[in-house]
Amino acid sequence: MRADIVKLTHLMTAPSLSADLSSSEWRELIALAREENLLGKLGAILTSHDQIPKGSPARHLVGALMLSRRQRQSVTWEAHKIDQALSELDVPVVLLKGAAYALGNFASADGRLFGDVDILVPREHIARVEMQLRVHGWNSLKLDAYDQRYYRQWMHEIPPMMHVHRGTVIDVHHTILPLTARYRPDPARIFSEASRLNGFRCLRIPSPEDLVIHSCCHLVHEGEVDNILRDIHDIARLLETCFSSHDARMKLAQAAIHHDLQEPTSLALLLVQQYFNRPEIAPILDALEAHNWQSSHARLVNRYLRAIGPDLDSTPSWGKALARQLIYIRGHSLRMPLAMLLRHLVRKAWMQWRDKEPIRTAEN
Amino acid sequence: MLDTILRIPPFNVRVRAPFADVAAHLARFYSAYERLEGTAFVDFDVELIPGGGVRRWWRKQVRFRADAQMPFLPLPADQAAPLLEWGLNWTIASRSLGYLVLHAAVLAREGRAVILPGFPGAGKSTLCASMCHLKDWQLFSDELAIIDPATRRLIAHPRPISLKNESIDLVSGFPGARLGPLFHDTRKGTVAHAAVPETSVLKAESSAQAKWIVFPKFSKDGTTSIEEITRAEAFTLIQQQSFNQERMGDVGFDTLCSLLSETRCYSINYGSTDAGLRAIASIVAEAD
């Protein structure tokens, strides 16, 4: 593991280390945390332990906290709008990921930056949900016929929708993995275990174990490492705050088994263990019988250790670029069978070549 | 290879660049700024790097990098120096620093500042250069008004004034004005930088209370008019020139409100540098 990442994760685990850091260490940590989208989270941890440094580094940390607070307000507002739009359908609407952390007041939301809102609705109601969202100003983003078909036929979600006035994006899921994926999680369990949100008519929050499992399988199936340290920390915080009891841990393991997700959950928890070692992890791994994948997971964890981290200085090494590529390919191969994957990648490559990206220009 | 940490108040900026033009730019415009030790804290780590592939040799290009991000498309290599200035502006405006940042020129005198928001074609940079060269205003910034939410004061951030097209000739005629080379065919036309007056560099670590917000509008040889506008109107106008007020949430909103509560706001029309300076002088005198 990279030395700078070790330093950052140590500081996030033991905020009192803050007192002994030199200016050049702060400079390294802040640049790294910013690139990994962890600056606000670091700020939140240091603030809650009264360990915000004096002088210039504080500015970056406090600034990131302000941004996080603002985004959390936006997500909350967006949740109210979604609740309004969908409440007359009488369909359960479960928030996922960032929106769930924020609205459920989970510690993983502290200082976090938020993007799109993800919701989960029962598959049989997806057409009505989509129509209702359209009525309330959301429009489909991917208008390309191939993309539309691809999403609707194979994916676990419909194409992302953007609100015409607010420009906010919502991802509407009906399950948590593509229909073509190797594993078959059970969305019915997420609905039955979800709890209602105070002050909302149809919005719900998944149970803590479903939140962790979804984060874990997202981590492994996404195939990208850009926000992965942030996502790993989300899981570490969930473990820290919701799984202190033996019963809770066993419930998590049973839920992973129920969802047919022992393997990806084990791999993700191993990654969490590498970066933010939590005592909750070992018993969960035992219950998941993680030893079944011991050698393949050890290899994969090594690959992640090589791939994670921004290119702050020089051009990326071949080893790192290769590791990233392998993780990307593995993520996709978990999401769909090989023949289909190849067809899809060729098609996407051709489409990208055909409509080259719009040109960005230098703005003053 | 240039690799130096500069104190450009209120930031420490590490600049790396293999381009001789960039080294010359720093020597010309930043020689009086403090150089910091390699162990110093760095707010922004920026690098100018040569174009990739054949663009290393053929029709050479330059790219701007802040930490791991490359926000712009490459430019021709001879625009490396202006790209450093644009890139720094982008970096300051887009990072969440806990400062409210507005697109405006700021000049101060005896701890009191005038803010000139930067609507295109307003003549902001020319007026700003004339105020610090022809009158005794301290240059706080030509592009970025930086406000500390804790103290609600403006923070000086003096950097070379970026001049475009006709204003280059005009400003080069000012006594004491020191201009760098011309950069032709940039996206903004011909561009040149004017050095920060020495007195303003010496007082670079300072802050001031905002007292006047003046929305200038230049129309060549037009008549002069000064109109005081309401704070509500000024709020709406200046909000459009804010880079990050939205992103700072309630802190950004409160900071902008308290900035307005301390200021009187005007819109001025003027047709010449003299007329612009007279308009500013009368606004300042009236408030006294």
Side-chain angles (χ1 to χ4, degrees), chain A residues 83 100 104-105 110 191 246 270:
Chain A
D83 192 57
N105 273 321
D110 297 345
F191 290 112
H246 176 76
L270 279 173

Side-chain angles (χ1 to χ4, degrees), chain B residues 11-32:
Chain B
F11 307 117
N12 300 342
V13 183
R14 181 184 183 195
V15 182
R16 280 176 288 175
F19 298 90
D21 288 358
V22 175
H25 180 82
L26 293 190
R28 183 176 286 116
F29 293 117
Y30 291 94
S31 60

Side-chain angles (χ1 to χ4, degrees), chain B residues 240-260:
Chain B
Q240 297 164 23
Q241 297 297 311
S242 161
F243 292 110
N244 63 354
Q245 181 241 312
E246 221 303 297
R247 276 184 282 146
M248 289 170 77
D250 47 354
V251 179
F253 183 80
D254 289 345
T255 306
L256 202 53
C257 287
S258 60
L259 184 80
L260 266 298

Side-chain angles (χ1 to χ4, degrees), chain B residues 134-156:
Chain B
L134 304 179
K135 302 288 169 186
D136 53 349
W137 288 90
Q138 178 191 346
L139 177 68
F140 259 42
S141 174
D142 149 59
E143 288 277 0
L144 305 170
I146 298 177
I147 301 133
D148 184 349
T151 61
R152 274 102 210 256
R153 285 173 74 82
L154 287 151
I155 311 286

Side-chain angles (χ1 to χ4, degrees), chain B residues 148-202:
Chain B
D148 184 349
T151 61
R152 274 102 210 256
R153 285 173 74 82
L154 287 151
I155 311 286
H157 178 58
R159 303 230 314 270
I161 301 172
S162 170
L163 301 166
K164 292 183 284 271
N165 306 320
E166 298 86 38
S167 69
I168 298 172
D169 276 345
L170 187 72
V171 173
S172 63
F174 292 170
R178 198 158 55 78
L179 269 64
L182 297 175
F183 300 98
H184 299 286
D185 302 322
T186 74
R187 265 187 73 244
K188 297 165 184 294
T190 300
V191 167
H193 297 103
V196 177
E198 207 173 318
T199 49
S200 299
V201 178
L202 290 174

Side-chain angles (χ1 to χ4, degrees), chain A residues 246-277:
Chain A
H246 176 76
D247 284 358
R249 291 170 203 170
M250 289 311 105
K251 210 169 163 195
L252 169 59
Q254 278 149 19
I257 293 166
H258 177 93
H259 281 303
D260 184 26
L261 292 171
Q262 301 103 291
E263 189 272 331
T265 306
S266 304
L267 176 57
L269 289 179
L270 279 173
L271 284 168
V272 178
Q273 199 172 36
Q274 288 286 333
Y275 288 95
F276 303 97
N277 194 10

Side-chain angles (χ1 to χ4, degrees), chain B residues 24-92:
Chain B
H25 180 82
L26 293 190
R28 183 176 286 116
F29 293 117
Y30 291 94
S31 60
Y33 292 67
E34 191 185 351
R35 262 63 178 171
L36 302 174
E37 298 279 320
T39 54
F41 180 75
V42 169
D43 290 283
F44 311 118
D45 194 334
V46 303
E47 196 177 1
L48 292 151
I49 45 184
V54 295
R55 296 310 201 125
R56 262 166 208 288
W57 305 281
W58 181 70
R59 290 192 186 168
K60 287 183 189 173
Q61 288 185 329
V62 54
R63 294 177 290 173
F64 176 83
R65 181 160 109 153
D67 293 327
Q69 295 173 9
M70 289 213 231
F72 311 130
L73 281 180
L75 288 180
D78 57 8
Q79 292 179 22
L83 182 59
L84 169 65
E85 295 291 344
W86 291 328
L88 265 181
N89 287 343
W90 175 86
T91 309
I92 294 165

Side-chain angles (χ1 to χ4, degrees), chain A residues 23-24 26-27 30-31 34-35 56-57 59-60 63-64 66-67 69-70 311-313 359-360 362-364, chain B residues 16 38-41 43 65 67-68 71 73 86 89 95-99 148 187-188 246-247 249-251:
Chain A
S23 294
S24 52
W26 274 118
R27 141 201 188 170
I30 283 174
R34 182 188 290 119
E35 288 308 318
S56 300
R59 222 152 244 310
H60 297 266
M66 281 179 201
L67 178 60
R69 228 173 50 210
R70 175 73 189 98
D311 306 317
L312 283 170
D313 231 20
I359 290 170
R360 282 181 302 165
E363 290 298 336
N364 188 355
Chain B
R16 280 176 288 175
T39 54
F41 180 75
D43 290 283
R65 181 160 109 153
D67 293 327
L73 281 180
W86 291 328
N89 287 343
R95 290 283 153 89
S96 302
L97 283 166
Y99 285 126
D148 184 349
R187 265 187 73 244
K188 297 165 184 294
E246 221 303 297
R247 276 184 282 146
D250 47 354
V251 179

